[in-house]
Amino acid sequence: MSPAEPFLRRAGDRGWLIECSGRRPAEVATAIRAQPWASGLREIVPAATTVLVVAETLAEMGSLAGELSAVLDEVGGRGARPAAGRTVVIPVRYEGADLAAVAERVGLTPDEIARRHTGGEHAVGFFGFAPGFAYLDGVPESLRLPRLPSPRPRVAAGVVAIAGNQTVVYPGGTPGGWHQIGVTTVRLWDVEAQPPNRLAVGDRVVFEAVAS
C-alpha cells in the first residue's frame, strides 16, 4: 500500500478510523455518506486528517470494513471525483482587526489580501472546538500564517479569520487565536434554526467582498 493511500485502523469495539493520507477527510466522509448502507451507521466524523466511522453493533464491523475499503478504493482511484456539496456564499467586509498586521507580514496590501482570499477554493473540512465551528480548507499559500501566540479571550460572532490553510467564521462567544481579516453578518450557527448549522462537511464556501 502506498503511503499516500487511505487505510483503516480499528478504533474501539465498534469504530474504524480512516487515516486519510493523500485525501481530504471531507471528501472521504462525503463519499461514505453517499452509500446506501451509510444510513445504518451511528456516526461518521471527519477531522483534520482522519474520518471515524462508528457502527451500531459489533457484528457489523467485519462487513463494514469491506464496505469502507471499497469506498476508499473508489475515492482513491484514478479520475475519481469527490461528491459535490452545496455552495454557500458568505459576504465579507474585509476590515478585520488584524488585516493591517497580516498585510505587513505577507507583504501585500489589504485589498490584495481580500482579492486572494475571495479567490481561494474553500470547502468545509470538518467541525470542532465549539458548536458551529467549521474549519474551511483553501486559504491560498501566500496568506498562510501560524496562529497568534496568545488567543483573544472572546471573539464575536461573524468574525472571519485565517490561520494555516484554513478560514473560520466564529460562531461567537469563544476564544480565538486566528488572524481576523473580516466580518460577515451571515449567521452560520443559530440554535433556533433547523438545522442550527448552516454548513455541512463538503460544502463549498465562496467568500464575496462587500463594501462597508
Side-chain angles (χ1 to χ4, degrees):
M1 176 180 293
S2 167
E5 294 178 353
F7 65 94
L8 295 174
R9 187 189 305 277
R10 190 68 178 260
D13 61 343
R14 288 178 293 120
W16 287 108
L17 187 68
I18 303 171
E19 302 281 354
C20 298
S21 301
R23 296 284 177 259
R24 288 186 176 182
E27 174 185 345
V28 174
T30 302
I32 294 170
R33 288 196 179 99
Q35 306 304 312
W37 43 264
S39 60
L41 297 173
R42 173 165 291 190
E43 287 188 290
I44 303 170
V45 186
T49 61
T50 62
V51 176
L52 175 65
V53 180
V54 182
E56 284 289 354
T57 68
L58 179 60
E60 300 173 58
M61 288 297 288
S63 61
L64 178 57
E67 299 281 13
L68 291 174
S69 294
V71 172
L72 295 180
D73 288 342
E74 184 177 331
V75 172
R78 186 171 296 177
R81 296 181 180 179
R86 302 166 302 163
T87 296
V88 178
V89 178
I90 300 178
V92 179
R93 300 194 314 273
Y94 283 91
E95 52 185 39
D98 299 319
L99 183 60
V102 170
E104 182 176 357
R105 288 188 64 177
V106 301
L108 298 170
T109 66
D111 286 346
E112 182 63 17
I113 289 173
R115 190 186 70 79
R116 296 193 185 194
H117 189 252
T118 57
E121 296 184 3
H122 306 275
V124 181
F126 62 99
F127 291 87
F129 181 57
F133 198 97
Y135 290 80
L136 313 178
D137 299 325
V139 169
E141 183 71 37
S142 58
L143 302 183
R144 296 180 184 180
L145 294 170
R147 298 183 186 186
L148 297 170
S150 299
R152 294 176 171 93
R154 188 178 180 89
V155 180
V159 170
V160 178
I162 58 174
N165 72 323
Q166 293 171 324
T167 301
V168 295
V169 180
Y170 280 93
T174 69
W178 297 43
H179 303 273
Q180 299 181 13
I181 61 171
V183 179
T184 182
T185 57
V186 172
R187 295 186 68 181
L188 298 179
W189 174 255
D190 182 356
V191 293
E192 297 181 357
Q194 287 297 327
N197 206 345
R198 183 170 176 179
L199 297 177
V201 171
D203 284 350
R204 178 171 177 259
V205 174
V206 176
F207 291 105
E208 185 177 82
V210 295
S212 301

